[in-house]
Amino acid sequence: MILNEGMLKEGALKGKNILITGGGTGLGRSMGEYFLELGANLIITSRKLDVLNATAEEMMKEKGGKVLPLACDVREIDQVEKMWEDATKEFGQIHVVLNNAAGNFISPTERLSTNAFNTVLDIVLKGTSQVTLTAGKDWIAKKQNGTFLNIVTTYAWTGSGYVVPSAAAKAGVLAMTRSLAVEWAKYGIRSNAIAPGPFPTEGAWSRLLPGDLVKKFDPAKKVPVGRVGEHQELANLAAYLVSDFSSFVNGEVMTIDGGEWLKGAGEFNNLDQIPQEMWDMLEVSRGKKA
Ligand code: HXC
Ligand code: NAP
């Protein structure tokens, strides 16, 4: 099994300037590191400039290329526009926007304050739409091609209890991805999404499996292939979707979850709890010789 090897050929992203929201930590950082390896330059943004600075320095030391860290709260349109302006000034043209920033936590919905609900909606849906609109308007005005890749989750279409603001916001991002894939294709702008299953990160695990929950709800147990994802596996898919090799892929959401969401959906999937001896008995009872 190849879990930790880069998939695309050397230089596959050469000449591409890629903006990653939430690029200082977790999956954003892992995808960014692989993009750099493939020859891209990066702009990484989030709220915490100290984190971004440290990440940018480490990335350039380990992978080469150029990484520009810019503080930007995606909820604030002034900050988004300033970030885009600064990034464009530095790089001339930005070719790809990876909408990866998110906020999330678990809670029974009836316990959420209005502000708690809105906070997640604002980061995920409003934040993504503000970055998308800022980039898209600029690309269209300048007649530049562009590529959006939006990170959603599988509960964007199934919904999920206990993360309702996140589910509602990710569903909105998915609808926006598919809508703009059609509307903006005429401008040479592609929009796709990735729906990851469980990929361990400090940010997600600390908020979705706090305290002892991680021992009680081992995420790997819900996945048919029996494990969680490796960051490189996601990075390989993301690199393909932002590269020119995927130029005929538009409006797609690619699931990378080891079959997790389908396991929950299939009516009889829980029959894998039936032991072989019981299947043997059932065969005998319908007349097949043991
Ligand atoms: C209930 C909570 C809460 C919690 C915060 N709030 N945490 N309510 N349960 N665990 C409430 C607060 O009380 C407050 O409401 C409101 O939410 C805003 O909280 P702040 O702390 O002021 O907000 P802020 O500093 O902006 O931080 C945003 C955040 C935080 C979302 C709350 O967790 C964050 O910074 N997250 C960023 C990174 C992240 O979440 N990464 C994980 C993504 S994982 P009141 O009413 O008191 O003012 C992911 C995976 C999906 O998306 C799929 C996995 C398979
Ligand atoms: P993470 O490390 O916590 O990433 C979230 C990033 O978003 C952080 O870098 C954070 O940086 C940034 N961010 C949060 N609020 C922001 C704001 N208002 N403005 C700008 N940036 C903000 O968690 P992760 O697991 O890597 O998640 C990355 C993406 O993958 C998210 O979209 C998440 O929904 C998705 N995802 C993750 C999993 C998983 O299993 N890990 C599964 C499905 C989907 P600052 O705090 O510095 O702002």
Side-chain angles (χ1 to χ4, degrees):
M1 219 175 341
I2 303 173
L3 303 181
N4 286 302
E5 243 177 70
M7 183 182 84
L8 291 196
K9 64 184 179 189
E10 212 182 307
L13 297 179
K14 200 165 185 305
K16 290 212 185 288
N17 301 321
I18 301 179
L19 170 75
I20 307 178
T21 66
T25 65
L27 301 180
R29 176 178 176 153
S30 297
M31 290 184 276
E33 283 171 353
Y34 188 44
F35 297 167
L36 275 180
E37 231 174 272
L38 293 171
N41 294 312
L42 303 182
I43 303 101
I44 56 173
T45 79
S46 78
R47 294 164 300 176
K48 301 187 189 103
L49 189 58
D50 53 336
V51 173
L52 295 170
N53 282 336
T55 300
E57 208 167 293
E58 284 165 29
M59 278 176 153
M60 285 190 280
K61 205 161 134 201
E62 282 165 29
K63 309 283 179 188
K66 187 168 160 186
V67 183
L68 176 67
L70 290 176
C72 167
D73 186 329
V74 291
R75 292 171 288 189
E76 304 296 332
I77 187 63
D78 293 353
Q79 293 186 33
V80 171
E81 288 176 349
K82 173 83 170 64
M83 176 274 292
W84 185 259
E85 195 187 314
D86 290 348
T88 312
K89 215 177 270 168
E90 183 72 23
F91 285 102
Q93 182 176 351
I94 297 155
H95 304 91
V96 174
V97 169
L98 173 50
N99 281 306
N100 165 79
N104 202 359
F105 46 75
I106 50 166
S107 174
T109 308
E110 69 277 14
R111 290 181 183 231
L112 291 173
S113 68
T114 305
N115 187 38
F117 207 114
N118 286 344
T119 296
V120 174
L121 284 182
D122 282 354
I123 299 171
V124 178
L125 183 53
K126 186 173 149 193
T128 304
S129 70
Q130 293 193 150
V131 173
T132 300
L133 201 56
T134 303
K137 281 179 177 178
D138 194 43
W139 283 335
I140 292 165
K142 292 176 178 159
K143 297 191 173 12
Q144 292 171 348
N145 292 348
T147 301
F148 289 109
L149 179 59
N150 301 328
I151 306 300
V152 296
T153 71
T154 53
Y155 59 62
W157 56 89
T158 63
S160 173
Y162 304 96
V163 284
V164 168
S166 172
K170 293 284 192 185
V173 172
L174 181 54
M176 188 172 71
T177 307
R178 288 176 168 148
S179 306
L180 290 178
V182 176
E183 190 182 337
W184 283 356
K186 60 180 173 287
Y187 300 120
I189 298 172
R190 286 193 299 134
S191 300
N192 289 296
I194 295 179
F199 283 78
T201 65
E202 162 64 26
W205 260 224
S206 66
R207 291 173 176 95
L208 302 175
L209 294 163
D212 273 354
L213 284 190
V214 72
K215 288 185 205 137
K216 289 192 183 129
F217 297 97
D218 177 3
K221 290 206 175 117
K222 286 177 64 211
V223 183
V225 304
R227 64 177 176 86
V228 292
E230 291 285 335
H231 287 205
Q232 184 64 49
E233 296 179 287
L234 177 69
N236 282 338
L237 178 56
Y240 166 68
L241 287 174
V242 302
S243 78
D244 295 336
F245 294 105
S246 64
S247 53
F248 205 50
V249 182
N250 187 30
E252 186 53 81
V253 53
M254 294 215 181
T255 303
I256 176 164
D257 74 342
E260 184 198 35
W261 85 268
L262 279 169
K263 182 176 177 173
E267 182 74 28
F268 291 101
N269 285 345
N270 59 355
L271 295 195
D272 58 12
Q273 287 165 18
I274 293 184
Q276 288 305 319
E277 303 79 59
M278 196 178 284
W279 288 119
D280 291 343
M281 278 164 54
L282 287 168
E283 276 187 357
V284 171
S285 69
R286 69 177 167 84
K288 196 175 170 204
K289 288 201 176 85

